Amino acid sequence: MAHTRKDQRDLTAAERRRFVAAVLELKRAGRYDEFVRTHIAYYKADGDGGLRTAHMAPSFLPWHRQYLLDFERALREVDPAVTVPYWDWTRDRSPAGQPWGEDFLGGNGRRGDLQVTTGPFAYGTGNWTVTVGVTEDRFLTRDFGRPKDPIELPTRDELAWATGETVYDVEPWNSTSPGGFRNRLEGWAPGRGNTRWRNHNRVHRWVGGLMLGGASVNDPVFWLHHAFVDLLWSRWQARNPGAGYLPAVPPPVGSAQHGRVVARDEPMPPWDVTPAQLADHRHLYRYG
Ligand code: CU
Ligand code: CU
């Protein structure tokens, strides 16, 4: 039976409490930090050599689909009623509203060291010490809107710039792909400020703090953000039934992207699963 992922704004207080409790239990058991490690290990950029699967690559969407599924499975081993909620950042844009409540993800970081001091993931609770990071900070940090150089959450119109694309991805299959749904949703673009970071990337920038880099998984909002990105892909698939994952076949020998990206029927590390096998999620979960 497929389970349902809900809009975080529709969760009851009890559902929020159970989600938080399951996340904290994974953290306590050391399993949460394993997820952080995996994300850091697969945080490869165009400039790095070798295969890119998680970012700056066509498999950005299926990679995070499988990653969320693994996390959700772990949560449901703790509490079978829990699913990963999604955060529609085109709609819930207030730093004072959910998902940033005391009873859910907690609020912004404080001035100075950007430490999150409210909610269940505040360092002071003793339940959320960052042990796997790219800096020495042991506490969760956030910097909503980046006040020093302000940016806004993406709007519905900015999102439409991505979702209106009818081709999944285009050459050269990286952060410089000039069109295609994947790169416009992932959000690499030339320019400065708001134009430099689009959609998915801009949300990481807007939350700030630990959400900026490979260790972004340390902020539980990562999962709610990526569940929404996955929902957007799902809706896009339904609207573009003929537009499958690209590239369909591996880039040829001699191409700069040969051996650098995963084609439709190739396994996508660290799993033995292909993008084609992840195209349809409806037997596993649905969006409510
Ligand atoms: Cu990622
Ligand atoms: Cu991300």
Side-chain angles (χ1 to χ4, degrees):
M1 249 288 278
H3 56 264
T4 300
R5 293 182 181 170
K6 294 185 181 175
D7 189 328
Q8 60 83 24
R9 60 156 48 212
D10 297 329
L11 297 184
T12 64
E15 286 170 331
R16 284 195 291 274
R17 194 180 335 110
R18 290 177 78 161
F19 174 77
V20 167
V23 171
L24 290 178
E25 172 53 23
L26 293 182
K27 178 72 172 174
R28 193 201 58 75
R31 297 182 69 190
Y32 195 95
D33 291 344
E34 281 301 311
F35 283 96
V36 182
R37 263 185 215 105
T38 299
H39 194 262
I40 291 172
Y42 285 84
Y43 199 77
K44 295 266 164 45
D46 288 344
D48 300 327
L51 184 68
R52 303 183 309 282
T53 55
H55 308 98
M56 297 187 176
S59 52
F60 166 69
L61 292 166
W63 195 94
H64 287 84
R65 178 166 282 178
Q66 182 61 47
Y67 186 58
L68 254 79
L69 268 170
D70 283 5
F71 180 68
E72 192 168 53
R73 217 163 268 149
L75 287 176
R76 289 165 66 78
E77 283 166 25
V78 175
D79 183 345
V82 170
T83 62
V84 177
Y86 62 88
W87 169 36
D88 178 348
W89 24 258
T90 66
R91 203 171 165 197
D92 292 303
R93 307 171 65 81
S94 167
Q98 293 288 20
W100 310 115
E102 283 272 359
D103 69 337
F104 199 24
L105 302 188
N108 198 4
R110 68 186 177 192
R111 276 171 179 234
D113 66 0
L114 306 180
Q115 182 175 162
V116 172
T117 57
T118 56
F121 305 102
Y123 182 75
T125 62
N127 295 325
W128 203 259
T129 302
V130 174
T131 59
V132 182
V134 289
T135 67
E136 290 302 302
D137 284 349
R138 288 289 168 262
F139 46 82
L140 179 59
T141 52
R142 290 177 185 147
D143 190 22
F144 289 170
R146 202 174 64 183
K148 282 191 191 124
D149 179 13
I151 47 168
E152 305 283 338
L153 286 169
T155 63
R156 219 173 280 265
D157 284 351
E158 289 173 309
L159 187 54
W161 172 76
T163 55
E165 288 285 291
T166 54
V167 172
Y168 178 78
D169 205 349
V170 300
E171 288 185 25
W173 319 115
N174 61 16
S175 72
T176 70
S177 292
F181 172 65
R182 187 277 309 171
N183 197 32
R184 286 189 164 193
L185 181 59
E186 188 177 1
W188 306 105
R192 290 176 56 82
N194 274 331
T195 58
R196 167 121 176 68
W197 312 103
R198 308 287 185 115
N199 294 317
H200 153 268
N201 280 343
R202 177 105 56 81
V203 175
H204 279 275
R205 297 272 137 186
W206 184 89
V207 176
L210 270 166
M211 269 289 270
L212 292 185
S216 52
V217 183
N218 279 302
D219 192 329
V221 78
F222 174 94
W223 305 104
L224 282 73
H225 173 37
H226 271 277
F228 186 55
V229 169
D230 187 74
L231 170 155
L232 293 167
W233 180 29
S234 178
R235 286 189 187 153
W236 184 87
Q237 290 178 299
R239 273 202 313 278
N240 299 276
Y245 178 96
L246 292 173
V249 295
V253 180
S255 141
Q257 293 301 319
H258 178 76
R260 307 289 313 280
V261 299
V262 169
R264 191 181 295 169
D265 297 307
E266 291 185 305
M268 182 180 65
W271 306 280
D272 189 25
V273 63
T274 68
Q277 289 168 331
L278 288 164
D280 191 353
H281 63 79
R282 290 170 298 182
H283 57 295
L284 296 168
Y285 62 88
R286 287 163 191 268
Y287 286 102

